[in-house]
Amino acid sequence: PVPGRCAFFVERKKRFCKMTPGPGRRFCGEHGQQEGENDRKRIPCPLDPKHTVYEDQLQKHLKKCNSREKPKPVYFVQDINAGLKDGTEIPEKQVPISSLSKEELENLIAKLKKASNGLELRLKEQILSHQALQEALNDPKNGESAFKHLKQQASILGNMEKLHLLGPGRCFVEFGAGRGKLSHWVDVALQNVENIQFLLVERATTRFKVDGKHKRRDSVFERLQVDIQHLCLKKVPILEKKKLPVVGIGKHLCGAATDLALRCLAESYTTCCDGENEEPATKRSRTDKTEVASNNSADNESNKDDCKPVAGIVIALCCHHKCDWTHYVGREFFKSVGLGPLEFHYFQRMSSWATCGMRETTTRAPTSQEGEDETNGTEEHEQTFGKTESGSDTLQGILTVEERKEIGCLCKRLIDHGRIEYLQQRGYKAALQYYTESAVSLENVLLTAIPSPSLIPEPTM
C-alpha cells in the first residue's frame, strides 16, 4: 500500500484502497470495521448502498451525500416541453418490424408513400464554410474524425451567417451541448462582437469540456445541467435580466431531444412575448390579426425592447429512430395525412434503414441529448438495432438494400416535415437542407428557422 493511504486491498479493482485513514490507523473508515480495527458500526447509505456511513453520523451524512436529491434550479419546470400530457394516444401493442407479415409491411410502405406525395423530398445542398475554422481545417495534426466534425461545424456556422444570426446582442443556446464545441466556434467567429451570451444545455455531467478555451471577457458562458424536457428558458436569470434574442443551435441533437428543443423555443420561451394567458398570434384568424395590429401598434412599439423573440434556430438532425410520439411536435401533421401513433412508431424504427442498410452494427447509438463529442468518428450515428430491426433475414427477398435505404430516407423526411409545419404554424420560415456530404456524416440534414416577416393585412375591396 502507498504510505498514508488505506492498507485494504480491493480485490475487484486489483489495487489498494486510495482513501486516507485517520491518525494512527491502517485502514479507512470503510474498511476498518472489516479488519476489526474499528468498533463503530457502519451501515449502507440509504441514498446509495454502494457506500457506507457511520451509523451515529447518518443524519449528518444525508445532508451532504452526493446522492441526495439536489434543489431544482429556478428554470426547472416539470415537463414544460414534454408535449402529450397523457398516454391515451399511445397504442399498447407495438410489435417489432420483423414480426409484421409481408402484407402488413407493404401496407405500411403504401401509407408512407401516400403521405409523402406532394412533399418537397429533394433537399437543396447548402454546404458552406466559415473563416473562423479555416486554420483548424488546415491543421495537419487533426485526424480524419476531427476533420469531419470541423467540416460540419464550419458549415453550420456558414449557414448561421447566411441567415444573419451571427451578430451582437444575442444569446446562443446550444442544446445537447456535450463538450461545447459548437458554442466555442461561434464564440471564435464573433471575436470582435460585443454583448454575447452562451447557454450550454446538457443534462449529463460532461468531461473534457472546452469551456476553458474561451478567452474573451465580454462573452459569457453558462452551463445549464437540466433535461431539455424541463427547461423553461424565460426563467434563466441571464435571459430574465438582459432579455436578449435567442438563437437555438445544436449539432446532431438526437431524436426526441430535437422536438423538446423546438417546443422549448417556439412555445415555452415565446410565451413571454405573447403573454402567459394569451393565444399565440399564429393561431388567430386574419381578421383577429388585423384588429390586434391596429389596436396594439403603439403597445408593440413601446414593448419591443422589453421582450425579444427567438431570432433563429439551426439544428443538425439525427437519430430519428429515437423519436417519441409523446414528444413529437408534428403530431397534427401526421393526423392530417391520415397517420397516427402506430404508424409513427413503425416509421421511426424504419428510419434507421437510411443509415443501417442491411448491416449488423456493433456501435452504440447516442442518447437523446448526446452531442457529437460523446461519440467516436465516422460511425457515431450508426444504430444499434439487432438483426430483427436492421438486418433481419425475414426481410430478405421483400426489399433490396437500396429500397430499404430509400424507405428509411422517406421516413426521416416525413418526420422532419412535421417539424417544419410545426414551426411554420408558429410564425417561422423553416427549411431543411443538406449541410455536409454523406461521406462526412450520414446524418447530414440541417433544420433552420427564422421568424417570418410580419403579416401585412390585405387591402379590402
Side-chain angles (χ1 to χ4, degrees):
V2 178
R5 297 293 176 90
C6 177
F8 185 86
F9 186 79
V10 185
E11 187 64 35
R12 179 173 60 87
K13 297 183 178 181
K14 305 299 181 187
R15 63 165 173 78
F16 286 95
C17 173
K18 294 182 178 180
M19 298 296 289
T20 304
R25 297 184 180 274
R26 294 184 61 238
F27 302 98
C28 67
E30 186 82 17
H31 300 120
Q33 192 170 6
Q34 298 180 36
E35 298 298 319
E37 189 181 55
N38 194 350
D39 295 332
R40 295 171 68 190
K41 185 179 179 181
R42 292 186 72 89
I43 60 174
C45 172
L47 300 178
D48 181 8
K50 291 181 180 178
H51 66 274
T52 62
V53 59
Y54 286 119
E55 187 176 31
D56 56 4
Q57 289 189 341
L58 176 61
Q59 295 307 315
K60 180 180 179 181
H61 171 80
L62 291 177
K63 294 178 181 178
K64 61 181 182 180
C65 178
N66 288 333
S67 299
R68 72 190 186 282
E69 185 177 355
K70 297 174 177 62
K72 297 289 190 295
V74 292
Y75 46 80
F76 181 98
V77 178
Q78 185 74 37
D79 294 329
I80 188 171
N81 305 313
L84 202 61
K85 299 303 180 185
D86 59 67
T88 54
E89 289 188 24
I90 309 299
E92 291 183 7
K93 274 195 171 183
Q94 296 179 347
V95 299
I97 295 173
S98 57
S99 299
L100 297 175
S101 66
K102 181 179 179 180
E103 292 72 24
E104 288 174 320
L105 183 61
E106 288 175 344
N107 184 42
L108 268 176
I109 294 172
K111 285 185 176 181
L112 172 66
K113 291 182 177 179
K114 182 181 178 182
S116 302
N117 280 339
L119 301 185
E120 183 56 57
L121 301 175
R122 291 185 177 275
L123 306 185
K124 65 177 180 179
E125 274 197 2
Q126 195 141 288
I127 301 172
L128 306 176
S129 190
H130 196 281
Q131 58 182 9
L133 288 94
Q134 289 310 305
E135 184 178 344
L137 285 166
N138 295 326
D139 189 347
K141 294 180 181 178
N142 286 319
E144 182 183 5
S145 175
F147 178 71
K148 289 182 176 182
H149 286 309
L150 288 167
K151 285 195 73 172
Q152 294 173 67
Q153 289 155 347
S155 186
I156 291 173
L157 261 66
N159 277 276
M160 291 175 67
E161 187 172 53
K162 187 178 179 68
L163 294 170
H164 307 291
L165 295 178
L166 295 178
R170 301 276 169 88
C171 177
F172 295 89
V173 182
E174 183 179 357
F175 294 94
R179 295 170 59 194
K181 281 280 190 72
L182 186 55
S183 291
H184 167 72
W185 288 117
V186 172
D187 184 45
V188 172
L190 297 173
Q191 56 184 338
N192 297 320
V193 176
E194 297 179 350
N195 194 19
I196 299 297
Q197 168 76 33
F198 291 90
L199 295 176
L200 280 63
V201 183
E202 178 61 63
R203 67 181 177 184
T205 304
T206 307
R207 301 175 66 195
F208 309 118
K209 297 185 286 287
V210 297
D211 301 26
K213 293 185 178 181
H214 309 132
K215 307 297 183 184
R216 295 172 46 197
R217 294 182 180 179
D218 53 346
S219 62
V220 182
F221 281 76
E222 182 180 347
R223 279 192 172 262
L224 307 180
Q225 190 173 337
V226 62
D227 194 308
I228 304 172
Q229 183 169 326
H230 313 301
L231 172 61
C232 181
L233 275 178
K234 64 181 180 182
K235 291 191 176 183
V236 175
I238 191 71
L239 289 177
E240 273 192 318
K241 180 181 179 182
K242 291 192 173 183
K243 300 189 184 301
L244 296 173
V246 163
V247 178
I249 61 176
K251 178 174 178 287
H252 291 165
L253 191 59
C254 299
T258 292
D259 299 298
L260 296 173
L262 293 180
R263 193 175 281 110
C264 176
L265 293 164
E267 289 188 43
S268 66
Y269 182 67
T270 308
T271 52
C272 74
C273 296
D274 295 331
E276 290 293 341
N277 301 314
E278 189 177 334
E279 188 181 5
T282 52
K283 294 185 179 179
R284 300 189 187 105
S285 67
R286 186 177 297 276
T287 306
D288 291 334
K289 288 174 185 172
T290 307
E291 185 178 347
V292 170
S294 60
N295 291 340
N296 294 341
S297 57
D299 293 337
N300 289 340
E301 186 65 29
S302 61
N303 292 333
K304 67 181 181 180
D305 293 327
D306 296 328
C307 187
K308 301 290 185 181
V310 173
I313 301 170
V314 180
I315 294 176
L317 306 171
C318 81
C319 295
H320 295 73
H321 73 283
K322 297 186 79 70
C323 290
D324 189 296
W325 179 259
T326 303
H327 305 312
Y328 181 50
V329 295
R331 291 195 303 266
E332 291 305 316
F333 161 70
F334 257 63
K335 292 174 184 176
S336 72
V337 293
L339 302 175
L342 186 62
E343 289 82 8
F344 180 84
H345 165 73
Y346 287 119
F347 292 165
Q348 53 106 192
R349 304 298 289 179
M350 290 158 64
S351 70
S352 66
W353 294 352
T355 52
C356 280
M358 297 294 287
R359 294 169 292 135
E360 288 182 71
T361 56
T362 56
T363 55
R364 70 179 183 90
T367 57
S368 62
Q369 292 187 44
E370 213 169 39
E372 95 286 349
D373 299 305
E374 302 301 313
T375 53
N376 297 314
T378 58
E379 297 182 345
E380 60 182 334
H381 295 284
E382 289 184 356
Q383 325 311 346
T384 55
F385 295 109
K387 257 193 160 185
T388 57
E389 292 297 292
S390 67
S392 172
D393 292 334
T394 61
L395 296 176
Q396 299 281 2
I398 300 177
L399 299 168
T400 66
V401 174
E402 289 305 315
E403 285 173 333
R404 285 167 63 85
K405 287 183 179 178
E406 182 183 346
I407 290 168
C409 288
L410 207 56
C411 291
K412 284 177 174 286
R413 297 295 77 79
L414 191 69
I415 291 171
D416 289 339
H417 187 81
R419 292 164 167 168
I420 294 296
E421 283 215 355
Y422 167 83
L423 290 169
Q424 288 173 344
Q425 290 169 2
R426 279 154 184 78
Y428 290 89
K429 182 181 178 183
L432 299 168
Q433 52 262 314
Y434 292 118
Y435 77 104
T436 192
E437 301 92 348
S438 57
V440 172
S441 176
L442 293 174
E443 298 283 17
N444 61 341
V445 174
L446 188 72
L447 182 152
T448 61
I450 54 175
S452 297
S454 301
L455 290 176
I456 303 173
E458 294 178 355
T460 56
M461 299 300 291

